Amino acid sequence: MTKTIKTTCPYCGVGCGISAQVDESNHQVKISGDKIHPANFGRLCSKGSALGETVELKGRLLEPRIKGSEVSWEAALDLVANTFLGMIEKYGRDSVAIYGSGQLLTEDYYVANKLMKGFIGSGNMDTNSRLCMSSSVAGHKRAFGSDTVPGCYADYEHADLIVLIGSNTAWCHPVSFQRIRAAKDANPDLKIVVIDPRRTQTCDIADLHLPLALGSDTVLFNGLLHFLSEQGAVDPNYIAAHTEGFAETLLSSEQGFETLAEIADQCRLNVDDLQRFYDWFAATEKVMSLYSQGVNQSSSGTDKVNAIINCHLATGRIGKPGSGPFSLTGQPNAMGGREVGGLSHQLAAHMDFSSNDDIDRVARFWGSDAIAQKAGYSAVELFDAIYDGKVKAVWIMGTNPVVSLPNADKVKQALQRCEFVVVSDCIAETDTTALAHILLPAQGWSEKDGTVTNSERCISRQRALFAASGNAKPDWWIITQVARRMGFEQAFQYQSNVEIFREHAALSGFENDSEHGLRDFDISAFAGISQAHYDNFQPVQWPVNEANPQGKARLFEDGQFFTESGKARFIAITPRLPVNLPDRDYPLALNTGRLRDQWHTMTRTALAAKLNQHKPEPFVEIHPADAECYGLSAAQANLATIESPWGSMIARVQITDSQIQGSLFVPMHWTEQYASRGRMGTLVNPVFDPVSKQPELKHTPVRIKPYRPAWHGFILSRHELIITDIDYVVKIKGEQFYRYELAGETLPESWQDWAKNRLSSSDARQWQEYHDPCLGNYRAAQLADNRLESVIFIASTIKLPERSWLSGLFAKAELGKQERMALLTGIAPLGVADVGTIVCACFNIGEKTIQATIKDKGLTTYKQVGACLKAGTNCGSCVPEIKALL
């Protein structure tokens, strides 16, 4: 018996709708895109398509735990409440804190913020959204007087120029990228400019790529503003009627870099390419500027945001179809968190601590006489305060800061030193849960029920597909129970999530009028929403109020903003270099980012075998000239140690001219659960933007050197293994097997003993072995009734067989004679297919399969490959790689 439930994806800020066909009898779900959801119209990326593989119960946190022992909810909640009360009584309100996540639903976020800021009376609630979009929040607030995203996804189809800035949209927001690709196919006049130090997969649709120097965005856009003025391409009527501060901002933009040649030199760009971009921007009426973490994650991120917005205000290209600055948010509910005050300087409903009127208004609405009066610690500041002993108790909800925050080793030490650490999560073992005194089992995606808001201000429902597993509870329920035990029962009477949503909606409309000052966020139309309406809630863009009962696609169409004057503010920008620059000891700049098939710290995506095949290990991208300079050419070293003043990691080397010289790129995802030396956050400097407090995740001075172990190897095993005595270990979940990539600095006394001690299975009947001590080679395979149980390959060099054919043998109930004979060669017998490295994760299509099909059928386009193999026809993120193979 199956049923179909409409819900939303839990990954990026695109906010795709999902149609889930649920079979409760075996806890399985078949995932497809919701064809009527306005965010995706049926499309899903590789991660969203694989969601059905992530709902397994293995590894779930299903019962509350105190110091590792399972306890009742009553015991756990009592201890959390009493300890927080004791800390407050002894050390004051600011001795406790909450650190939340864009994985929380809006209802969860609302009650957490209400508890901490409204009733505990401290501003100490921040969120991992601080790491991805707080610079956009600050930039919007400075320019518009409110944190307002002006446009919508439909503008992609109206634009004639789309500028993608600091965003590998193809991998980080794949469904939006495919919509942009389709818009370009439909409109031959649409030009795409990609501004990014790396030549990423997004450049596949670019008419122009500007590989600017790291951190030079403000120079580029200040120069553009100056150019627009010089060319008479600004809109003087719009500037006069709807903005203020233009003259001062224009004067500032002219300081130091007045000629195109000077700007190009500072940005390390070709002057003709720079001229072309400026000309296109000046001559095109419908321009969208889409920006993401490459802009936000900077010590001058807010200035970068405002430098972009300045150019749109100067030309009046905002609030109109196909025009405007557009922030691509990172998480599924980063926007919802902003709505309810998830950042430490915010209050709920787009109010904040900068206004005494806002503080008083929220206090009166909540009926609190203890509301916080000032902002609390932001993310980096919070964990510094924990390290310093200023914050004694912290409650971490649905996030993994020991991996994701900069200077991650210090974050780990901070939690080790903290007197009381509570973690709410759905996963039992993460780098952060390992340091908790109390673990609270929260519901995960497929069990959570509430609302989320995507990048275009569209509120959607995330619905439960299954009943809660074990004793897991909704985050809002957990928070509410603690609040009641702390003495705040009257304000936390919620029995259901719809009650919280009603209150959230009512607060958004409370004193939100011309007499008290209008606010952009207003969903007061839902203040009396019924349970039935909430259950059947359809996606809608806020504001949703008496004036806009069906929502509103674009804001600022009338040129009215949320500043005191009603006019948008130009912000004069003085370009600043990153705080920490490369030097003699650390000569390279580290850039970081996401991969196509993984999400944040892999606690969900690593459960889906198909998502682990494309990029299975931590890696570092390096330009060929830098690789040669630092002894990392393909013939010299395959692994490298990367070091910064804050930490180190080991990564597989990938040499590519898509990386600019002098810069490295490392993905963010690996944790100690999956890679012994792969945590990127250990490297990253803890500097942050002084306005937004967003960390500088895109520019850390580092050095790199070859990592030359005594041996290299890998294990494929049907059963999960525990390997702790090797320097470099990466665990990769596959289909019916686990893969372990290994390297070590010391050799065991006997490889035979080492392998059999770790791999032997009680039902194994047969071992095959090959050992050449002189060359340092050891290979073994373990079978049971001719079914492959495990293989191990060890060598003194990096020359080891590919893993794809061997991996495929685990799907077989029994190996044939040829396969058994070929096992220790690692090479498929003649005539047996080897799919090669996975290129298309959506359909599990390998590189060798694609190459063979191209050759056999004489294919010349990626669309022909898609027609034959389906590769590239779902999310399309692998299309650039297919083109490269062609």
Side-chain angles (χ1 to χ4, degrees):
M1 183 69 180
T2 62
K3 58 183 177 181
T4 299
I5 299 174
K6 298 289 184 71
T7 185
T8 52
C9 181
Y11 293 123
C12 78
V14 174
C16 294
I18 283 173
S19 181
Q21 193 172 346
V22 180
D23 186 342
E24 290 181 321
S25 63
N26 58 12
H27 202 79
Q28 290 187 346
V29 57
K30 184 178 180 181
I31 299 294
S32 59
D34 180 354
K35 293 182 180 179
I36 62 171
H37 196 288
N40 59 316
F41 296 110
R43 277 194 175 275
L44 290 177
C45 73
S46 59
K47 296 185 291 293
S49 299
L51 274 166
E53 298 179 38
T54 70
V55 297
E56 64 179 47
L57 299 186
K58 182 181 178 182
R60 283 289 304 274
L61 177 63
L62 298 175
E63 299 290 339
R65 297 181 190 177
I66 297 177
K67 295 183 178 179
S69 298
E70 291 187 358
V71 298
S72 67
W73 267 111
E74 287 72 19
L77 294 167
D78 285 347
L79 184 56
V80 174
N82 291 334
T83 304
F84 266 56
L85 285 171
M87 294 294 185
I88 292 166
E89 183 178 3
K90 187 173 181 180
Y91 301 108
R93 298 173 178 179
D94 291 331
S95 67
V96 299
I98 291 174
Y99 186 63
S101 165
Q103 294 293 309
L104 295 173
L105 303 184
T106 300
E107 294 78 0
D108 306 323
Y109 250 136
Y110 181 87
V111 291
N113 192 54
K114 181 178 178 180
L115 171 60
M116 180 55 67
K117 294 171 184 170
F119 289 85
I120 290 176
S122 170
N124 287 347
M125 178 179 175
D126 209 54
T127 163
N128 64 10
S129 297
R130 176 73 66 180
L131 311 184
C132 74
M133 52 79 221
S134 55
S135 291
S136 287
V137 172
H140 291 160
K141 186 87 173 176
R142 291 204 299 191
F144 309 143
S146 60
D147 175 22
T148 309
V149 174
C152 57
Y153 297 152
D155 287 325
Y156 300 160
E157 284 83 27
H158 293 286
D160 290 318
L161 173 63
I162 293 178
V163 187
L164 293 157
I165 313 151
S167 171
N168 185 9
T169 320
W171 277 16
C172 300
H173 300 91
V175 171
S176 278
F177 179 76
Q178 290 310 312
R179 187 164 177 173
I180 295 168
R181 184 195 289 276
K184 184 171 176 60
D185 289 343
N187 176 12
D189 294 329
L190 172 59
K191 293 183 174 64
I192 308 290
V193 177
V194 173
I195 300 174
D196 196 308
R198 302 166 60 220
R199 189 176 71 248
T200 67
Q201 293 71 20
T202 302
C203 294
D204 183 55
I205 62 170
D207 298 285
L208 177 64
H209 171 220
L210 298 179
L212 81 173
L214 283 170
S216 62
D217 308 64
T218 50
V219 174
L220 180 71
F221 283 95
N222 267 6
L224 175 59
L225 184 65
H226 176 62
F227 179 85
L228 294 170
S229 177
E230 289 287 302
Q231 298 299 309
V234 298
D235 185 338
N237 294 328
Y238 186 90
I239 292 170
H242 302 299
T243 73
E244 54 193 14
F246 177 68
E248 300 93 322
T249 300
L250 182 62
L251 183 64
S252 176
S253 74
E254 297 168 351
Q255 302 303 309
F257 308 102
E258 297 184 7
T259 69
L260 282 176
E262 289 175 315
I263 296 166
D265 181 64
Q266 184 70 13
C267 297
R268 298 184 193 170
L269 294 174
N270 177 283
V271 70
D272 292 334
D273 288 343
L274 182 67
Q275 179 78 61
R276 186 175 299 111
F277 168 53
Y278 282 6
D279 285 342
W280 286 352
F281 198 106
T284 308
E285 181 61 30
K286 295 181 178 180
V287 180
M288 289 191 76
S289 295
L290 277 57
Y291 63 91
S292 193
Q293 310 315 340
V295 169
N296 294 330
Q297 291 177 334
S298 166
S299 56
S300 58
T302 308
D303 285 352
K304 292 178 182 180
V305 170
N306 284 117
I308 294 166
I309 292 174
N310 284 342
C311 296
H312 281 271
L313 292 176
T315 52
R317 295 169 184 164
I318 190 167
K320 301 173 182 176
S323 297
F326 196 111
S327 164
L328 299 176
T329 50
Q331 293 193 80
N333 203 31
M335 186 74 81
R338 289 148 75 170
E339 294 162 6
V340 300
L343 295 166
S344 61
H345 65 283
Q346 296 176 323
L347 288 162
H350 278 201
M351 291 179 274
D352 61 49
F353 288 111
S354 65
S355 166
N356 289 330
D357 288 342
D358 283 357
I359 297 170
D360 175 67
R361 182 177 298 113
V362 176
R364 286 187 285 109
F365 182 87
W366 281 342
S368 171
D369 57 5
I371 194 167
Q373 300 295 308
K374 60 183 176 64
Y377 293 120
S378 64
V380 174
E381 294 171 321
L382 172 59
F383 286 89
D384 282 347
I386 295 170
Y387 183 90
D388 294 335
K390 296 174 183 176
V391 170
K392 306 290 185 179
V394 63
W395 187 351
I396 299 167
M397 301 176 180
T399 186
N400 199 2
V402 174
V403 178
S404 57
L405 275 169
N407 199 3
D409 281 344
K410 184 179 180 182
V411 173
K412 183 175 183 178
Q413 293 161 13
L415 293 181
Q416 289 169 332
R417 296 163 72 157
C418 188
E419 292 186 31
F420 192 63
V421 179
V422 184
V423 177
S424 301
D425 210 319
C426 56
I427 302 297
E429 294 183 5
T430 73
D431 291 31
T432 301
T433 61
L435 304 175
H437 301 100
I438 294 187
L439 293 177
L440 302 176
Q443 293 175 353
W445 183 87
S446 79
E447 301 166 350
K448 295 162 76 81
D449 194 273
T451 57
V452 293
T453 308
N454 72 2
S455 295
E456 64 165 353
R457 295 176 281 105
C458 184
I459 304 171
S460 298
R461 285 281 271 113
Q462 196 173 105
R463 296 181 173 89
L465 309 182
F466 302 105
S469 301
N471 222 347
K473 300 290 186 183
D475 286 282
W476 67 261
W477 181 91
I478 301 171
I479 299 159
T480 296
Q481 294 300 312
V482 170
R484 292 177 183 178
R485 284 165 168 79
M486 292 182 72
F488 311 130
E489 184 169 3
Q490 197 60 39
F492 292 85
Q493 289 288 316
Y494 314 114
Q495 299 297 315
S496 65
N497 48 9
V498 69
E499 295 174 33
I500 303 168
F501 187 75
R502 287 186 197 121
E503 184 177 312
H504 165 52
L507 177 54
S508 76
F510 181 59
E511 297 182 353
N512 193 357
D513 51 47
S514 56
E515 179 183 349
H516 296 90
L518 292 172
R519 304 189 301 274
D520 65 333
F521 179 68
D522 185 350
I523 58 168
S524 54
F526 299 126
I529 190 171
S530 68
Q531 182 71 61
H533 185 182
Y534 185 75
D535 290 342
N536 195 42
F537 192 97
Q538 298 302 306
V540 62
Q541 286 173 269
W542 61 257
V544 190
N545 51 18
E546 188 176 348
N548 303 283
Q550 304 304 316
K552 192 172 177 66
R554 297 176 189 86
L555 294 174
F556 308 141
E557 292 168 292
D558 57 0
Q560 294 299 301
F561 296 86
F562 294 94
T563 59
E564 289 183 6
S565 66
K567 294 184 176 184
R569 292 185 290 246
F570 282 94
I571 304 297
I573 301 300
T574 300
R576 291 183 287 117
L577 292 172
V579 174
N580 293 303
L581 293 173
D583 56 24
R584 186 177 64 181
D585 293 328
Y586 297 96
L588 300 168
L590 177 70
N591 187 4
T592 65
R594 291 178 178 168
L595 296 183
R596 185 188 78 188
D597 297 336
Q598 295 296 350
W599 175 253
H600 281 201
T601 62
M602 297 170 61
T603 48
R604 182 185 290 113
T605 46
L607 300 174
K610 67 169 61 174
L611 299 181
N612 299 325
Q613 307 310 306
H614 182 241
K615 298 288 185 182
E617 290 181 85
F619 64 87
V620 54
E621 288 185 351
I622 186 169
H623 188 274
D626 288 329
E628 189 68 34
C629 177
Y630 295 105
L632 293 166
S633 64
Q636 292 174 301
N638 190 247
L639 289 167
T641 300
I642 310 160
E643 298 173 327
S644 79
W646 299 274
S648 68
M649 69 175 290
I650 297 174
R652 193 72 67 180
V653 176
Q654 292 190 359
I655 301 170
T656 171
D657 61 5
S658 67
Q659 184 67 42
I660 61 172
Q661 197 168 347
S663 176
L664 306 177
F665 173 81
V666 171
M668 62 174 282
H669 306 288
W670 277 269
T671 73
E672 286 186 355
Q673 311 301 313
Y674 293 100
S676 60
R677 301 281 298 278
R679 284 165 59 231
M680 171 276 290
T682 63
L683 296 168
V684 176
N685 75 75
V687 172
F688 52 77
D689 182 301
V691 180
S692 69
K693 307 294 181 73
Q694 182 156 355
E696 176 88 270
L697 288 160
K698 299 295 186 186
H699 197 290
T700 297
V702 296
R703 61 190 178 210
I704 191 168
K705 62 184 179 182
Y707 176 71
R708 292 196 173 99
W711 59 272
H712 301 258
F714 67 86
I715 294 173
L716 306 176
S717 171
R718 192 171 295 278
H719 307 286
E720 193 170 0
L721 307 174
I722 298 175
I723 303 174
T724 58
D725 58 341
I726 291 177
D727 304 291
Y728 178 84
V729 183
V730 178
K731 181 175 80 171
I732 305 148
K733 182 182 179 182
E735 297 285 356
Q736 301 184 47
F737 70 95
Y738 289 87
R739 170 179 163 189
Y740 298 86
E741 292 294 325
L742 311 170
E745 297 174 18
T746 58
L747 292 164
E749 290 187 12
S750 165
W751 275 117
Q752 292 95 329
D753 292 343
W754 189 95
K756 290 188 176 181
N757 286 338
R758 283 155 183 79
L759 303 181
S760 286
S761 174
S762 58
D763 59 352
R765 296 289 182 269
Q766 182 183 357
W767 275 84
Q768 296 180 10
E769 286 185 285
Y770 163 79
H771 192 201
D772 186 338
C774 293
L775 293 177
N777 293 336
Y778 175 76
R779 300 181 178 189
Q782 180 188 201
L783 297 95
D785 296 327
N786 286 328
R787 187 179 82 152
L788 183 61
E789 293 293 314
S790 60
V791 293
I792 179 171
F793 282 69
I794 303 294
S796 58
T797 71
I798 60 174
K799 294 181 180 178
L800 290 161
E802 289 187 20
R803 292 31 160 188
S804 53
W805 174 69
L806 289 167
S807 299
L809 298 179
F810 286 88
K812 299 188 173 226
E814 185 176 326
L815 301 190
K817 181 179 179 181
Q818 274 191 309
E819 291 165 331
R820 294 197 306 273
M821 291 178 65
L823 259 181
L824 297 189
T825 69
I827 301 171
L830 191 64
V832 176
D834 180 359
V835 301
T837 303
I838 296 299
V839 171
C840 176
C842 295
F843 298 108
N844 217 36
I845 310 297
E847 179 180 302
K848 292 183 179 179
T849 301
I850 295 171
Q851 288 174 322
T853 306
I854 290 170
K855 183 178 179 181
D856 294 345
K857 297 185 179 295
L859 307 182
T860 57
T861 70
Y862 76 90
K863 290 184 178 179
Q864 291 173 336
V865 173
C868 290
L869 299 172
K870 288 190 174 182
T873 61
N874 186 42
C875 74
S877 298
C878 61
V879 166
E881 289 170 86
I882 296 172
K883 287 183 175 181
L885 293 175
L886 285 162

